[in-house]
Each structure stands twice: as structure tokens, then as C-alpha cells.
Amino acid sequence: MILAVLLPGGFTFSLYRYLNAPAAASPTADPTPEPKKPSPSKNERPDSPIDADEYGDWDFRVGSVTFRAEKVGGWTYDSCAPVDRQGVLARNKCERAVQLAYSAYRGHLTAVQVIMSFPTVKAAKATAVRLASSSGAVKWRRDKMLDKYVYGKQRVTSSKRYVLLTVVTADRTAQAKATRFQHYLHADRSNSFLFRDPIASD
């Protein structure tokens, strides 16, 4: 997992790096949602290229934990060039990308997710490692984030053939909820890729 702090003006710096394995839970840490196979929906397209239309509002419930965010934008790219700022994605043969924008808590928290698909699991893992030291390598929709915020962080992980970037900003009203919201949003979306492709290349 890569966690970076988003500074005013869009700059980031990494706090720590830990990829492809859940962090050890402390007594006060939020548990990572258990992977579960998504229920069928008319928008699901197994074995097809990722598309922004697959994803709607985020409604999440596990036990007593609930979150909701409204989808306020979605963009599908036939290549990764539109989100590749430093050529990292091209060098690792990124095939396709999707951006999703969300709003929660009456606009006091915003989130953008960038999903990038790769030809192999190995390529996705290599990209996630590279992004650990290049937090500005992916271009995301800053116009969908808050102009003024007190919480601004991003997380990056690979899951099978996919790399997921989740960026969250929140003002003081939603600050206390932002960490858990980002944790569950990122983990829930990352877990969904475990069931997307029945067979993934190494």
C-alpha cells in the first residue's frame, strides 16, 4: 500500500510504502473488508475491458459499517496516455484507464479513482512499485476535488492485472470521517478486481 499526503496545489509526498499485502491491524485500525464476489448487476461486464459505465454510486455495507458516495463523473480512455504524466504507465504497457469521481457528506468530501489495466499481473505489480516513488506520475481530475481541504491523501495498490489510485480530499466538516472512508472505498474497489478476470496472466 502506498499512502501519500496531498498538499495544496496538487503536490504529494509519500508517507510509506507497503504493496500487495494488507497492513498488520492494530487494535484501533479499521479492518480491511473481506473480498466477496460482487452480486450480479446489469452493468457488470466480466472479461470485457474496464469502462466507467460499469460503476455507479458507491453504496457499501459490511456489518455496522456503511458508506455512501454519489458518482459525479466517469471517463473511459482507450489508452493510458491521458492519465500518464511521466511515461511510467507506457513503459509498463498500460492498456486502458478509467477515472471515477465521487462526492460524499454533502460535498464536504470528494474522491477520484483511477483504474489502470495491464496485460499481466507482473506488469501491474511493477507499475504499483514504480508509483511508490512517483506520486505525481498519474494525472487525475483535480477539478473534481475540493479547492480548500484539510485532509488530502492518495493510496495506490495493484490487484491482479489492475492498478488502483484513490485520492480523497475533505474539509473540516468531513475530516474525521475521511481516513475510514478512503480505506473502505479503496479496499472495496481493489477487492472487486479479484473476481473480474477468471484467469489472469502472470
Side-chain angles (χ1 to χ4, degrees), residues 20-122:
N20 298 320
S26 65
T28 58
D30 294 323
T32 298
E34 287 294 323
K36 59 181 181 179
K37 190 168 185 177
S39 58
S41 75
K42 63 181 180 180
N43 291 329
E44 277 188 16
R45 302 184 192 130
D47 304 320
S48 65
I50 53 174
D51 191 290
D53 290 341
E54 294 179 48
Y55 304 98
D57 295 344
W58 184 55
D59 290 295
F60 178 85
R61 179 185 295 274
V62 171
S64 62
V65 179
T66 61
F67 292 100
R68 187 180 190 283
E70 179 187 0
K71 181 184 175 185
V72 294
W75 302 266
T76 302
Y77 308 109
D78 292 332
S79 75
C80 294
V83 298
D84 193 354
R85 187 186 301 276
Q86 299 173 355
V88 173
L89 305 181
R91 287 193 291 274
N92 287 286
K93 304 186 186 306
C94 185
E95 298 176 321
R96 188 177 176 92
V98 160
Q99 279 203 79
L100 306 168
Y102 293 96
S103 177
Y105 306 116
R106 298 183 180 179
H108 293 285
L109 182 150
T110 59
V112 167
Q113 291 192 306
V114 183
I115 305 167
M116 297 150 277
S117 66
F118 292 81
T120 65
V121 173
K122 182 178 180 180

Side-chain angles (χ1 to χ4, degrees), residues 126-142:
T127 302
V129 170
R130 183 67 180 86
L131 294 180
S133 58
S134 301
S135 57
V138 177
K139 291 188 288 188
W140 39 272
R141 296 292 300 253
R142 298 179 190 276

